[in-house]
Amino acid sequence: MTSTVPASLTRTAEGSALQAVLLDMDGTLVDTEGFWWDVEVEVFADLGHRLQESWRDVVVGGPMTRSAGYLIEATGADVTIAELTVLLNDRFEKRIGRGVPLMPGAARLLAELAAHEVPTALVSASHRRIIDRVLESVGRHHFALTVAGDEVTRTKPHPEPYLAAAAGFGADPWRCAVVEDTATGVAAAEAAGCRVVAVPSVAPIAPAPGRVVVPSLEQVDLAFLRGLIGEQG
């Protein structure tokens, strides 16, 4: 986890019903969920195996170890999880070197959160090396704190990443708004006690108590997130 949380941000959090906004990366802020699947297809093709499209919904949004383990078992590929992780990260890093497209509404939301000095964190199951490359496109300055999947003991769908982000801001998880695009990420955020906005990217996500589902990040702004926590005005 990397953090640049000044005292002013902590005071802002404490004085507001909405204490922090915690954002997923792949498929939420950047349009890269498809990149990951393309990379997985390419790597397994190199290993002599063809991935089934139905497996995509199983691995989307999950931690690298879970996705890699599932695909190895499903294909019977002669590769270890550690070896496959390196192959996938190398190929993905090369792919995003050509640019990372932002999801519609992402730039506007990040600018609005910064303008109102809302403590904002990036919470991803991707590894630190991948997050740092993506931040070159998204803008590192938008986030006072970032949490990578290889920096926690248990990553999504376990709540640890979101609990770590809330703790980094000195915030109550139930006063943090989370924006996620997959069922795995939603499960992690809800298990942490956060209020969740789901913006499905690949597989559908059903509404539930404490969870709002919207079709696009363009429907999400600061007033929307404050309303999610129960703040008026």
Side-chain angles (χ1 to χ4, degrees):
M1 181 171 72
T2 63
S3 176
T4 56
V5 185
S8 60
L9 282 187
T10 303
R11 288 195 296 271
T12 299
E14 290 173 349
S16 171
L18 173 65
Q19 293 187 332
V21 174
L22 316 178
L23 302 166
D24 174 54
M25 186 177 76
D26 295 298
T28 298
L29 290 178
V30 291
D31 192 6
T32 50
E33 290 290 14
F35 284 15
W36 277 114
W37 179 247
D38 290 345
V39 163
E40 288 161 348
V41 169
E42 292 169 6
V43 167
F44 274 90
D46 291 345
L47 295 171
H49 297 273
R50 182 177 179 179
L51 300 188
Q52 297 181 20
E53 185 69 24
S54 60
W55 297 342
R56 183 176 182 178
D57 289 352
V58 178
V59 300
V60 66
M64 178 73 74
T65 52
R66 190 193 73 181
S67 299
Y70 176 85
L71 293 175
I72 289 171
E73 183 176 354
T75 60
D78 185 18
V79 64
T80 67
I81 290 178
E83 291 168 340
L84 182 57
T85 295
V86 172
L87 292 173
L88 292 173
N89 276 328
D90 285 349
R91 187 72 63 93
F92 187 80
E93 191 169 4
K94 182 177 181 180
R95 178 72 178 271
I96 63 177
R98 301 196 292 267
V100 180
L102 292 177
M103 297 296 287
R108 185 264 314 149
L109 176 60
L110 290 172
E112 184 180 15
L113 294 175
H116 289 83
E117 297 186 320
V118 178
T120 303
L122 186 70
V123 184
S124 177
S126 290
H127 290 187
R128 170 55 56 188
R129 60 181 285 197
I130 300 300
I131 288 179
D132 286 344
R133 287 299 301 274
V134 171
L135 285 174
E136 294 173 10
S137 296
V138 177
R140 191 180 303 273
H141 61 284
H142 289 300
F143 307 98
L145 187 153
T146 61
V147 180
D150 56 340
E151 294 174 338
V152 292
T153 304
R154 293 161 294 187
T155 189
K156 304 174 186 179
H158 194 276
E160 182 180 346
Y162 282 111
L163 291 173
F169 284 132
D172 295 322
W174 62 275
R175 290 172 69 181
C176 295
V178 170
V179 185
E180 272 280 359
D181 73 302
T182 67
T184 298
V186 167
E190 291 181 342
C194 304
R195 300 303 296 269
V196 180
V197 181
V199 189
S201 63
V202 175
I205 299 173
R211 177 198 312 167
V212 177
V213 181
V214 297
S216 168
L217 204 59
E218 293 181 307
Q219 276 73 58
V220 181
D221 58 16
L222 181 54
F224 182 98
L225 296 173
R226 284 174 168 166
L228 195 70
I229 305 301
E231 178 173 338
Q232 301 297 319

